[in-house]
Amino acid sequence: KKYLERMAKFNCLLEMELGVTGGEEDGVDNSNVDSSRLYTQPEEVWEVYQALSSVPNGNFTVAAAFGNVHGVYAPGNVSLKPEILHNTQKFIKEKLGCKSDKPVSFVFHGGSG
């Protein structure tokens, strides 16, 4: 939150990465990470959304993990679960009581394998 408060002063966007993107990037190997960390839960996104949306003039996106990975994998070795993103949008919409079906601005990391 403190970074977004600073960034909002000069209209700069903050991207929050939640969970772990599998595979290897820039010498960091997440191949053996606990698989549950590859899937961000709606409650985790809600916690971040609440904190950051309270910042006046704050602009942010969320990179939530849904099984996405870095690298190239054989077909069938990557288990993407994009329904996590849909369920998160629905969860936060209900929490907010808003009309928008997509209150969260998602971005993606990694690839499909």
Side-chain angles (χ1 to χ4, degrees):
K1 182 176 174 180
K2 72 178 182 177
Y3 291 109
L4 185 57
E5 289 169 343
R6 291 170 58 191
M7 295 169 73
K9 293 176 184 174
F10 56 95
N11 198 30
C12 188
L13 181 124
L14 174 69
E15 178 183 297
M16 290 298 299
E17 292 187 43
L18 304 177
V20 173
T21 300
E24 181 180 346
E25 179 184 37
D26 299 330
V28 177
D29 187 356
N30 288 325
S31 298
N32 295 319
V33 72
D34 177 7
S35 63
S36 68
R37 295 187 59 210
L38 298 174
Y39 304 99
T40 304
Q41 297 305 305
E43 296 82 6
E44 295 172 277
V45 179
W46 172 239
E47 183 179 334
V48 169
Y49 185 92
Q50 280 185 291
L52 297 183
S53 63
S54 69
V55 176
N57 302 314
N59 295 306
F60 65 94
T61 58
V62 175
F66 62 102
N68 37 331
V69 297
H70 290 291
V72 178
Y73 294 82
N77 287 340
V78 174
S79 180
L80 296 177
K81 297 183 180 179
E83 63 272 14
I84 287 173
L85 306 175
H86 171 77
N87 294 340
T88 298
Q89 294 285 25
K90 185 177 175 185
F91 180 83
I92 292 177
K93 176 184 178 177
E94 290 172 3
K95 288 284 193 182
L96 294 172
C98 68
K99 292 183 181 182
S100 174
D101 288 334
K102 297 179 181 172
V104 180
S105 296
F106 282 122
V107 295
F108 306 105
H109 285 233
S112 63

